């Protein structure tokens, strides 16, 4: 052991304490940085050099301390849980949002809804039954029936617009995935080269972790960290990011609700457009589930099913009112005819094409054949269509209740998914976030260690001073 | 490891708790100010279904109320007309009795009676053609304009005018023209014409009294029927009012919030929000640096 090794050992202690303090500083400065994972300087004690040769057997102490690395105290398991829970919360969040918008467009229950318009229309039929042939009452009925048709068309249009808006949002989400995937690939390259050079890539890994969480929110997917430090992002079992290359995704399928049945909207690989990508979570999957086409058993996409319900309602209203209206007579002054329609459907979706056929009171069949010119029995019968188990009102109530239940379920699911993602994020944060008290203690410890090492250096220095300057001057 | 508490975790948790508390407060405020329990179907889907049903019933009951008022007006008109007709018929009977005194009356006096009878006949015809809002109340659903033409033909069709006073009840609101006044040669007008002709032709009108009484009974019978129907309408009106009150109570029960409950909820939520704020302010203040030199 050399005479001067004590100085070197003390110097190592000083450096270790300073590095420890630097890491404490980095932690404290980033206490509020999003996605920052706390770090720790890993110190190891340095043993005494191996002794060889004839003078071995001498007892010697170790050579102080060395800082081996600065570790990032993240936990892969907790990160994985966060990613899977945000995927689920993204999925249900989009659905809950869209369902809330859908049910708001119904304006039920209240005075602005279709049910209120229907009630007024049935009442107008009864008014006309009381005053058959009255032009003013007839005009009120025609105007009110037109209002029902308009309300239905506006409701349908709202759903159609919502579909189109969501469709364009999905394109935006896919673009976000591609951007994030590209950044992850770039960071992979940086991290790999940084680690290869032996430097610390902790901050880069933090950034990559934020990006993979973003990808998980958008499409679900899993992340696998490889030994070289790069991360592989898998979506639906296929690599979205592998090493330094990212594979772009795209959204294919119809741009309008009408065409969705023929070409459903789906997420595909940009370079293989025919191959759909099955992501089972995330906002994109939530949006795609809302955009799905309707099915015969009513279990398709919520928006398409709601639109189909609107059409079914329009068709049912036309069928029930016309069935009674056709039995009544319309007189043009000279001869009376029966079999005329009150409502008619245009081309395209029934809810959009619903219109009122008569233009004035003379076109409305109010009287039964042969019952006198001022008979109102047909109008009275039509006014009664609004009540009873098979009425259009009941059908409408069922539609509203169905959407209400779906929305309620969606909101509950969203709350539950949020709860689980909050819990997962909390756990992650509990593990990875900076605790200022802890850092303060570390600061104290390293400060004391630094002071101690400096004192040690002084002691060695004084010892050497004694040896060099005082030795051999005995009795002088 | 999981139980580790960090400053960031504490801050985020506090912020989330405050946010939740504030959200709850906003929800309470909304329900307390709108006083609606259901503002969207998802608030209570089955309540929404009930609410829609009740609202449509309220609308129907309001319409029945209008029908009842209209029917009541019709029946009052018919009743007034029949009362007028009874008065006229009483005078016709009195004049017929007077005209039957062959020995005591001079032809001039008989002619005076005949002239008055002709006036009464015209009045009767006007009464039989009484209209309500442009419709003959004795002509059923006919659109001919008058119930009895000048040549005494009845224009009314067979089907009665009815008003719906409830989900399953309709009440006839017009008068039966033929039953009250007869038709053609059998009609009350033809009868008066015959009395006038008898008076002028010197035939004793005494035997006509039975026919006059018969027609009077017919009119009174119709008046009784109309009165019974009007009583039915009035009863329906009472029932309608109480139904609409019951429905409104039902609607309020489904849709509306209890004000006292809403205010208590709001107040307690306010208190818990304030508590959350105070606790957060205390917990966030401290850390080790406060105690280190």
């Amino acid at each position: 052991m050399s005479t001067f090794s004590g100085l070197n050992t003390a110097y190592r202690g000083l450096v270790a304490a300073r590095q420890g303090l630097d890491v404490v500083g980095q932690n404290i400065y980033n206490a509020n940085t999003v996605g920052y994972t706390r770090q720790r300087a890993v110190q190891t004690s340095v043993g005494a050099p191996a002794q060889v040769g004839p003078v071995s057997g001498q007892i010697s102490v170790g050579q102080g301390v060395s800082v081996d690395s600065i570790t990032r105290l993240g936990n892969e398991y907790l990160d994985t849980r966060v990613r899977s829970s945000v995927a689920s919360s993204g999925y249900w969040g989009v659905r809950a949002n869209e369902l809330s918008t859908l049910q708001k467009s119904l304006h039920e229950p209240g005075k602005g809804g279709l049910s209120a318009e229907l009630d007024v229309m049935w009442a107008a039929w009864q008014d006309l039954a009381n005053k058959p042939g009255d032009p003013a009452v007839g005009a009120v009925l025609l105007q009110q029936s037109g209002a029902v048709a308009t309300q239905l068309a506006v409701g349908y249009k709202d759903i159609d617009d919502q579909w189109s808006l969501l469709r364009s949002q999905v394109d935006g989400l896919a673009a976000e995935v591609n951007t994030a995937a590209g950044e992850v690939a770039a960071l992979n390259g940086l991290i790999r080269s940084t680690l290869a050079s032996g430097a610390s890539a902790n901050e880069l890994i933090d950034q990559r972790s934020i990006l993979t969480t973003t990808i998980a929110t958008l499409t679900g997917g899993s992340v696998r960290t490889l030994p070289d430090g790069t991360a592989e992002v898998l979506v639906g079992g296929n690599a979205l990011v592998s090493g330094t290359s990212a594979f772009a995704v795209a959204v294919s399928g119809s741009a309008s609700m009408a065409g969705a049945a023929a070409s459903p909207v789906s997420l595909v690989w940009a370079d293989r457009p025919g191959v759909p990508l099955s992501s089972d979570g995330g906002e994109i999957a939530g949006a795609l589930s809302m955009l799905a086409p309707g099915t015969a058993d009513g279990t398709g996409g919520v928006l398409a099913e709601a639109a189909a319900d609107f059409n079914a309602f329009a068709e049912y209203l036309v069928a029930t009112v016309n069935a009674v209206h056709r039995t009544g007579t319309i007189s043009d002054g000279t001869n009376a005819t029966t079999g005329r329609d009150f409502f008619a459907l245009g081309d395209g979706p029934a809810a959009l094409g619903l219109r009122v056929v008569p233009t004035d009171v003379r076109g409305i069949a109010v009287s039964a054949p042969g019952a006198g010119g001022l008979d109102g029995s047909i109008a009275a019968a039509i006014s009664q269509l609004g009540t009873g188990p098979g009425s259009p009102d009941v059908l409408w109530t069922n539609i509203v209740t169905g959407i209400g239940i779906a929305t309620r379920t969606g909101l509950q699911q969203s709350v539950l998914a949020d709860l689980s993602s909050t819990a997962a994020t909390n756990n992650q944060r509990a593990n990875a976030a900076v605790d200022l008290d802890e850092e303060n203690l570390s600061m104290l410890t390293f400060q004391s260690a630094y002071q101690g090492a400096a004192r040690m250096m002084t002691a060695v220095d004084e010892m050497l001073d004694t040896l060099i300057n005082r030795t051999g001057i005995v009795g002088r | 490891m999981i139980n580790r508490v960090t400053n960031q975790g504490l801050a985020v948790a506090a912020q989330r708790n405050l946010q939740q508390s504030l959200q709850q407060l906003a929800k309470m405020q909304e329900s307390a100010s709108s006083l609606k329990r259901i503002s969207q179907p998802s608030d209570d889907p089955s309540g929404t279904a009930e609410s829609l049903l009740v609202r449509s019933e309220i609308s129907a009951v309001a319409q029945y109320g209008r029908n009842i008022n209209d029917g009541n007006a019709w029946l009052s008109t018919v009743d007034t007309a029949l009362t007028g007709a009874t008065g006229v018929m009483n005078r016709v009977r009195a004049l017929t009795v007077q005209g039957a005194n062959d020995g005591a009356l001079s032809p001039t006096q008989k002619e005076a009676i005949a002239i008055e009878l002709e006036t009464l006949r015209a009045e009767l015809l006007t009464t039989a053609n009484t209209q309500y809002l442009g419709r003959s109340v004795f002509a059923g659903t006919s659109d001919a304009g008058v119930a009895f033409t000048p040549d005494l033909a009845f224009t009314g069709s067979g089907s009665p005018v009815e008003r719906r006073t409830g989900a399953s009840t309709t009440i006839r609101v017009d008068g039966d023209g033929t039953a009250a006044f007869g038709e053609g040669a059998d009609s009350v007008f033809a009868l008066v014409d015959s009395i006038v002709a008898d008076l002028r032709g010197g035939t004793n009108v005494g035997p006509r009294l039975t026919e006059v009484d018969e027609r009077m009974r017919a009119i009174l019978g119709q008046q009784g029927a109309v009165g019974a129907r009007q009583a039915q309408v009035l009863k329906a009106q009472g029932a309608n009012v109480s139904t609409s009150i019951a429905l409104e109570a039902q609607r309020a029960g489904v849709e509306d919030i209890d004000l006292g409950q809403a205010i208590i909820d709001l107040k307690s939520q306010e208190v818990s929000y304030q508590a959350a704020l105070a606790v957060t302010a205390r917990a966030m203040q401290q850390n080790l640096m406060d105690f280190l030199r």
Side-chain angles (χ1 to χ4, degrees):
Chain A
M1 235 176 117
S2 98
T3 315
F4 296 100
S5 72
L7 277 179
N8 193 41
T9 309
Y11 173 66
R12 281 172 186 250
L14 279 179
V15 168
R18 208 182 61 217
Q19 274 195 324
L21 264 179
D22 286 346
V23 173
V24 167
Q26 174 77 350
N27 283 343
I28 290 180
Y29 310 144
N30 286 298
N32 292 322
T33 306
V34 176
Y36 179 77
T37 303
R38 67 196 167 107
Q39 301 175 8
R40 184 178 291 160
V42 178
Q43 302 182 337
T44 40
S45 54
V46 179
Q51 291 177 358
V52 286
V55 285
S56 62
Q58 195 182 0
I59 293 171
S60 61
V61 297
Q63 303 228 318
V65 64
S66 77
V67 174
D68 290 348
S69 63
I70 297 170
T71 326
R72 178 176 172 273
L73 294 177
N75 184 318
E76 197 63 36
Y77 165 72
L78 293 175
D79 291 351
T80 308
R81 269 197 55 195
V82 167
R83 279 193 295 270
S84 85
S85 67
V86 293
S88 156
S89 119
Y91 179 87
W92 289 108
V94 166
R95 282 184 66 89
N97 260 342
E98 294 300 322
L99 283 162
S100 295
T101 311
L102 174 62
Q103 81 161 359
K104 275 199 193 93
S105 74
L106 295 174
H107 307 294
E108 297 281 8
K111 293 189 170 69
L114 183 64
S115 64
E117 299 284 6
L118 280 173
D119 290 342
V120 178
M121 184 180 82
W122 303 128
W125 274 108
Q126 204 147 98
D127 279 335
L128 190 64
N130 292 349
K131 293 198 178 92
D134 188 321
V137 178
V140 169
L141 170 64
L142 292 176
Q143 186 269 332
Q144 187 55 40
S145 306
V148 167
T150 309
Q151 179 102 359
L152 205 57
V154 168
Y156 187 88
K157 197 96 188 38
D158 280 349
I159 297 176
D160 199 36
D161 289 348
Q162 194 185 344
W163 197 96
S164 306
L165 187 67
L166 187 60
R167 174 70 181 81
S168 59
Q169 280 171 348
V170 172
D171 283 338
L173 294 177
E176 255 183 78
V177 169
N178 290 338
T179 314
E183 286 177 35
V184 168
L187 279 169
N188 270 345
L190 268 178
I191 289 167
R192 188 164 58 189
S193 58
T194 310
L195 289 180
S197 72
S200 153
N202 290 346
E203 284 74 13
L204 296 175
I205 296 174
D206 283 347
Q207 284 177 30
R208 189 179 65 190
S209 180
I210 295 177
L211 287 169
T212 50
T213 309
T214 308
I215 293 177
T217 315
L218 291 168
T219 63
S222 58
V223 175
R224 203 169 51 166
T225 313
L226 301 178
D228 63 352
T230 59
E232 199 175 44
V233 182
L234 304 170
V235 173
N238 291 311
L240 179 70
V241 180
S242 174
T244 54
S245 44
F247 302 94
V249 295
V251 180
S252 77
S254 167
S256 71
M257 185 163 72
S263 101
V265 186
S266 59
L267 191 64
V268 295
W269 294 108
D271 53 349
R272 279 172 291 164
V275 183
L277 196 153
S278 65
S279 64
D280 44 14
E283 290 175 0
I284 292 182
L288 290 179
S289 79
M290 293 297 287
L291 293 174
T295 56
D297 57 355
T299 53
V302 174
L303 291 177
E305 293 298 345
D309 283 345
F310 270 61
N311 286 337
F313 175 80
E315 280 161 10
Y316 189 66
L317 181 69
V318 170
T320 42
V321 171
N322 281 352
V324 182
H325 192 260
R326 282 191 188 131
T327 62
T329 56
I330 293 170
S331 172
D332 58 358
T334 49
N335 45 4
T337 53
T338 59
R340 301 288 191 86
D341 284 343
F342 183 76
F343 282 121
L345 293 174
D347 299 331
L352 279 183
L354 183 65
R355 62 188 170 82
V356 179
V357 177
T359 50
D360 63 12
V361 70
R362 281 169 302 177
I364 308 174
V366 180
S367 326
L374 292 176
D375 176 51
S377 56
I378 295 298
I382 292 177
S383 80
Q384 290 306 299
L385 292 177
T387 58
S391 70
D393 291 51
V394 170
L395 180 61
W396 177 250
T397 303
N398 287 346
I399 293 172
V400 171
T401 317
I403 291 176
I405 291 172
T407 310
R408 193 179 173 83
T409 317
L411 287 172
Q412 275 170 351
Q413 293 283 6
S414 172
V415 168
L416 291 179
D418 279 350
L419 274 181
S420 93
S421 104
T422 307
T425 316
N426 272 354
N427 284 344
Q428 189 196 38
R429 196 172 286 126
N431 172 57
V434 176
D435 176 10
L436 283 178
D437 294 345
E438 183 186 328
E439 299 305 330
N440 268 312
L441 278 174
S442 301
M443 202 197 315
L444 279 183
T445 324
F446 284 120
Q447 208 179 348
S448 310
Y450 189 85
Q451 286 171 349
R455 183 63 58 84
M456 196 60 214
M457 191 175 257
T458 318
V460 174
D461 183 41
E462 279 181 9
M463 184 184 81
L464 289 175
D465 180 53
T466 310
L467 184 68
I468 295 166
N469 295 326
R470 308 264 170 202
T471 314
I473 53 170
V474 150
R476 221 189 275 179
Chain B
M1 193 66 95
I2 300 302
N3 295 327
R4 191 168 172 274
V5 177
T6 65
N7 295 73
Q8 204 185 7
L10 210 59
V12 169
Q15 194 214 345
R16 195 178 50 244
N17 288 340
L18 286 180
Q19 176 62 34
Q20 274 173 359
S21 195
L22 197 60
Q23 256 176 18
Q24 200 68 24
L25 188 64
K27 209 172 162 188
M28 298 272 170
Q29 263 171 0
E30 198 215 317
S31 64
S33 53
S34 71
L35 291 179
K36 287 266 175 269
R37 196 171 64 83
I38 304 175
S39 55
Q40 284 170 359
S42 63
D43 292 342
D44 182 355
S46 63
T48 303
E50 202 180 336
S51 153
L52 291 183
L53 195 69
V54 170
R55 275 171 181 271
S56 110
E57 271 192 47
I58 288 176
S59 158
V61 165
Q63 180 61 37
Y64 297 149
R66 285 200 292 281
N67 295 352
I68 287 169
N69 288 340
D70 185 56
N72 198 8
W74 270 73
L75 287 169
S76 300
T77 310
V78 173
D79 187 53
T80 312
L82 289 174
T83 310
T86 313
V88 171
M89 286 308 287
N90 279 333
R91 184 70 190 141
V92 167
R93 189 176 193 285
L95 287 174
T96 311
V97 172
Q98 203 184 344
N101 293 327
D102 272 352
L105 291 176
S106 68
T108 323
Q109 283 169 317
K110 283 195 176 180
E111 181 57 25
I113 292 170
I115 287 170
E116 189 177 349
L117 280 174
E118 278 178 340
T119 319
L120 292 174
R121 176 198 182 276
E123 201 179 325
L124 263 183
L125 190 59
T126 311
T127 309
N129 285 333
T130 301
Q131 293 195 331
Y132 173 68
L133 296 182
R135 282 188 63 175
S136 301
V137 294
F138 290 106
T141 57
S142 156
D143 55 356
V146 289
F148 293 92
T149 55
D151 59 357
L152 302 185
F154 180 62
T155 66
S157 58
S159 61
V161 177
E162 288 181 333
R163 289 291 174 264
R164 183 164 290 278
T165 59
S168 55
T169 48
T170 55
I171 294 176
R172 182 176 181 180
V173 296
D174 64 334
D176 189 338
T178 41
F181 301 106
E183 196 178 347
D186 289 337
S187 70
V188 66
F189 320 107
L191 173 64
V192 178
D193 282 344
S194 315
I195 297 171
V196 170
D198 285 355
L199 278 172
R200 288 193 175 138
T203 318
N204 190 335
V205 294
R208 295 284 182 189
L209 274 176
T210 37
E211 290 177 51
V212 171
D213 287 346
E214 203 179 301
R215 291 263 46 113
M216 276 183 79
R217 269 199 303 280
I219 292 176
L220 284 172
Q222 279 305 305
Q223 204 176 0
V226 167
R229 291 206 293 268
Q230 199 166 13
Q232 208 182 339
V233 165
L234 291 175
K235 219 167 98 183
Q237 195 167 30
N240 187 265
V241 169
S242 54
T243 309
S244 86
I245 292 170
L247 282 173
E248 183 55 31
Q250 202 182 340
R251 187 203 62 75
V254 174
E255 282 183 12
D256 293 357
I257 207 163
D258 177 22
L259 181 60
Q261 188 67 44
I263 287 176
I264 288 173
D265 287 352
L266 178 63
K267 270 285 156 204
S268 56
Q269 188 55 42
E270 260 175 35
V271 169
S272 70
Y273 181 57
Q274 281 166 3
L277 282 177
V279 166
T280 309
R282 285 191 67 79
M284 291 285 109
Q285 275 171 357
Q286 315 275 322
N287 74 42
L288 190 57
M289 267 182 265
D290 298 333
F291 301 96
L292 290 175
R293 264 186 311 114

